[in-house]
Amino acid sequence: MIGAFKLLKGALLVAAAISVFQLIHQDLADVILEWSRRLHIAPGNRLVEHLLERVLTITQRQLFVVGIVLLIYAAMFTIEGIGLLLLKHWAEWMTVITTSGLIPFEIYEMAERPSWLKALAMAVNVAIAVYLFVHVRHEAEQHRKSEINSN
């Protein structure tokens, strides 16, 4: 199930990267205004105005970098998902590493702008990482014992 979820995340990230690459040669303010019209958001909406202020500082180079990062993550999730579906042990360790790899960023984010929601998300991520580590390590030990017993 986790493998299929990883493949889905990979596919969604590819779609997001394609969308970002399509935005490179467009006026982001025009895109936001067009979407606000399509979604029937009233002109002068505070959220739209805030979003417009933010996108005025985004460069084409930044969009390109975001697109590349999204593709790298998509490749990582796709490789991980395929490995898990094929029951490869390295994919289990990859899942442990990728899950644990976000924890330092969550700690930094908590230090900069703490909130209960961020604390809860970090606690859940730490619990999942610990569970996965213990589970994968236990399976590796069981596999080694069965190999020793079969020889």
Side-chain angles (χ1 to χ4, degrees), residues 39-127:
L39 297 172
H40 304 290
I41 298 173
N45 179 286
R46 198 172 73 190
L47 178 63
V48 173
E49 294 296 323
H50 178 71
L51 194 54
L52 286 171
E53 289 173 14
R54 300 286 303 237
V55 301
L56 291 176
T57 62
I58 297 174
T59 66
Q60 289 181 348
R61 178 173 168 75
Q62 289 170 322
L63 286 173
F64 180 77
V65 169
V66 167
I68 294 297
V69 168
L70 289 171
L71 287 177
I72 290 168
Y73 271 106
M76 182 183 69
F77 283 130
T78 302
I79 291 166
E80 192 176 355
I82 291 169
L84 288 170
L85 290 174
L86 295 175
L87 303 175
K88 299 296 183 181
H89 189 65
W90 58 263
E92 293 173 342
W93 280 111
M94 187 176 177
T95 303
V96 171
I97 291 166
T98 58
T99 303
S100 303
L102 297 175
I103 294 170
F105 296 107
E106 292 174 348
I107 291 169
Y108 172 79
E109 189 65 29
M110 275 293 296
E112 288 294 311
R113 287 177 241 114
S115 76
W116 287 105
L117 188 58
K118 290 177 187 176
L120 178 63
M122 186 172 70
V124 167
N125 200 20
V126 168

